[in-house]
Amino acid sequence: MFGDLVYTWMAIRLARRTGSQTVTAMPLGLDTPSTIGLALVVLGPAFTSLRESGMESRQAAMMTWYIGMATMVMMGLIKLALSFCGGWIQKVVPQAGLLGSLAGIGLALIGFTPLVDIFGLPLVGMVSSV
């Protein structure tokens, strides 16, 4: 919450300085792609790998938490470094292209949820989907 308030304050300050009402801020926190990606690509495999290596559940959970925190710090540093390229990217890439990743994630989730139901009962799901 504190980070969101800081980013909001920074956006308001930038809007006043530039006179533009179209200023936004990118907070480092819970957003759908990062949350899903972090859980499915980093935390899940890390916990599974640690458990398979013989570590007990509590130790594996703590190590997974450390891995998650280190990943968040790295994501923050990458976002900070790339934030200086934001204006250039907005000029070079059309606005529709900037929203493409968000639309892609939405379509993937819309398509993935029914697919999970289909593969939950493969015989019934495959016959009913044809």
Side-chain angles (χ1 to χ4, degrees), residues 2-12 24-28 76 80:
F2 177 74
D4 291 337
L5 292 174
V6 170
Y7 279 105
T8 302
W9 173 74
M10 290 169 59
I12 291 170
T24 60
M26 175 61 138
L28 174 65
L80 178 66

Side-chain angles (χ1 to χ4, degrees), residues 7-129:
Y7 279 105
T8 302
W9 173 74
M10 290 169 59
I12 291 170
R13 213 174 102 198
L14 181 62
R16 286 183 183 152
R17 192 176 69 205
T18 61
S20 173
Q21 295 299 316
T22 60
V23 174
T24 60
M26 175 61 138
L28 174 65
L30 291 176
D31 59 358
T32 303
S34 297
T35 303
I36 292 171
L38 190 65
L40 295 178
V41 178
V42 177
L43 300 179
F47 182 76
T48 304
S49 174
L50 291 168
R51 287 288 296 142
E52 288 176 356
S53 71
M55 196 177 281
E56 67 180 55
S57 292
R58 184 168 173 76
Q59 287 178 328
M62 288 302 295
M63 186 58 70
T64 302
W65 186 80
Y66 295 139
I67 292 169
M69 293 301 101
T71 303
M72 288 300 292
V73 169
M74 289 189 303
M75 286 171 52
L77 292 174
I78 290 169
K79 285 183 179 184
L80 178 66
L82 294 178
S83 68
F84 298 104
C85 304
W88 177 78
I89 290 173
Q90 283 181 334
K91 290 176 188 172
V92 174
V93 178
Q95 191 171 15
L98 296 173
L99 296 174
S101 61
L102 184 61
I105 290 168
L107 289 174
L109 289 175
I110 289 169
F112 183 70
T113 304
L115 192 63
V116 169
D117 293 336
I118 288 172
F119 287 126
L121 293 169
L123 184 60
V124 176
M126 292 297 190
V127 171
S128 67
S129 67

